[in-house]
Amino acid sequence: MDEVEVVVAHSERATLRVGDVFLKVDADQARVDVEVEAMSLAPVPTPEVLWRKPPVLAITALPGTTLGRLGGPSTGSPTAWAAAGAAIRKLHDAPPPSWQGRAGRSIVALEAELEAECALLVTSGILPADLVTRNRRVAEAALRPWTPAFTHGDLQIAHVFVDGDEVTGIIDWSEAGQGDALYDLATFTLGHEEHLDDVMTGYGTDIDLDVIHAWWSLRSLLAVRWLTEHGFDPFAPGCEVDVLKARM
C-alpha cells in the first residue's frame, strides 16, 4: 500500500496524498463547489476530478514539481517562472466566473479587516508597532479600484507545478472567482521578489510595482496571526514577517 502523505492540515481542512491521488477533506462544501467549478472553467491545466464523496474530494496528482515554497529556495528556472507568468496571464484574460473570489473582497471590507488586524498584532505583542505601521502605509496602495479578472485567489508557488520549463497544472482553487489580478501576482511572488521580473516577462504587460508591494504587505499583515494560531511559523526565514521587514 502507498504511504499516506499529509500535504497540509489545519482546523479548516486537510489534504492528503496517496500515490497519484490527492484527497482533500473540507467540511465547507461551498468551498469545494467553488473549487470544482473553477477547475472546469480555468483555461490552464488543472487536476482531474476523480470522485467526490463529501467531505472528501479526490483529484489526480500533477506531473512535475512545484516552483518552490514560501521560506524555501526556488526550484524553478527563470524560464519556468516566466512560463508561470504566461499561464497566470491566460487565466486573468479569461471571462471571469459569476462569483466573487478571495481576491475580490471590497475596499471597504479590506480596510476594516486590515485596521482590526493591525491593532491586534500590536496590542498582542506579535509584531512591533513600527513594523505594522510602516506596512500598513505600504498596503494602502492595494486599496484602489480594479477591473474584475478570473483569479485563483490563493496562488502560492506551492500550488503551481512545472515539468522542466512547462507548467503542468495549478491546484487548490477553492478561493477562485472574480478579483484583482495583481493580488494573484503578488501572492505568487511573495517571498521570492528575485523572480518578479521573470514572472512579468511571461505575463507580458506593465505592472504597477507599488501595488504588488502593497499586496505583499497587506497579505502578510492579515496572515501572521492566523498562521501563528494554526501551527505555522510566519517568523521562519523568508516567510511573512521577513516580507514585512523588507518594506522597512
Side-chain angles (χ1 to χ4, degrees):
M1 179 179 292
D2 291 306
E3 291 185 355
V4 176
E5 175 191 355
V6 179
V7 179
V8 64
H10 49 76
S11 60
E12 293 182 2
R13 47 191 158 178
T15 300
L16 311 175
R17 179 169 183 166
V18 185
D20 291 330
V21 177
F22 282 105
L23 301 176
K24 304 192 68 174
V25 183
D26 194 331
D28 185 344
Q29 290 307 294
R31 199 156 47 200
V32 181
D33 290 341
V34 167
E35 176 151 16
V36 172
E37 181 68 10
M39 287 194 294
S40 73
L41 296 173
V44 295
T46 62
E48 177 188 353
V49 176
L50 298 175
W51 49 264
R52 180 179 176 186
K53 296 180 180 178
V56 181
L57 172 69
I59 59 176
T60 56
L62 292 170
T65 59
T66 66
L67 280 168
R69 61 179 177 81
L70 184 62
S74 165
T75 56
S77 67
T79 305
W81 281 84
I88 296 168
R89 178 61 184 270
K90 187 175 182 181
L91 174 68
H92 290 167
D93 283 347
S98 59
W99 66 90
Q100 183 185 85
R102 183 162 184 79
R105 287 169 291 171
S106 71
I107 293 174
V108 172
L110 279 169
E111 283 180 325
E113 185 179 357
L114 183 60
E115 197 66 35
E117 195 62 34
C118 287
L120 284 170
L121 288 171
V122 174
T123 58
S124 64
I126 296 176
L127 292 177
D130 61 339
L131 183 64
V132 173
T133 300
R134 168 58 180 159
N135 278 276
R136 173 69 180 85
R137 287 199 297 266
V138 172
E140 290 175 0
L143 304 175
R144 87 282 177 230
W146 41 265
T147 301
F150 192 150
T151 54
H152 180 279
D154 190 21
L155 199 60
Q156 305 173 45
I157 58 171
H159 294 162
V160 178
F161 283 72
V162 296
D163 188 0
D165 295 330
E166 178 183 355
V167 175
T168 59
I170 301 174
I171 64 171
D172 283 355
W173 292 82
S174 60
E175 308 286 356
Q178 291 186 21
D180 179 2
L182 298 194
Y183 179 92
D184 270 356
L185 289 170
T187 301
F188 185 64
T189 55
L190 184 75
H192 286 280
E193 187 170 353
E194 72 278 9
H195 286 292
L196 181 58
D197 285 345
D198 299 325
V199 174
M200 294 302 97
T201 296
Y203 196 77
T205 189
D206 290 335
I207 293 297
D208 189 332
L209 294 181
D210 286 342
V211 177
I212 296 291
H213 296 162
W215 274 122
W216 286 342
S217 290
L218 199 158
R219 180 181 170 92
S220 297
L221 286 169
L222 295 183
V224 167
R225 189 170 59 88
W226 185 94
L227 291 167
T228 301
E229 293 175 352
H230 287 78
F232 302 98
D233 186 7
F235 291 86
C239 292
E240 285 80 4
V241 175
D242 276 356
V243 170
L244 296 173
K245 289 178 179 178
R247 306 272 71 83
M248 296 296 285

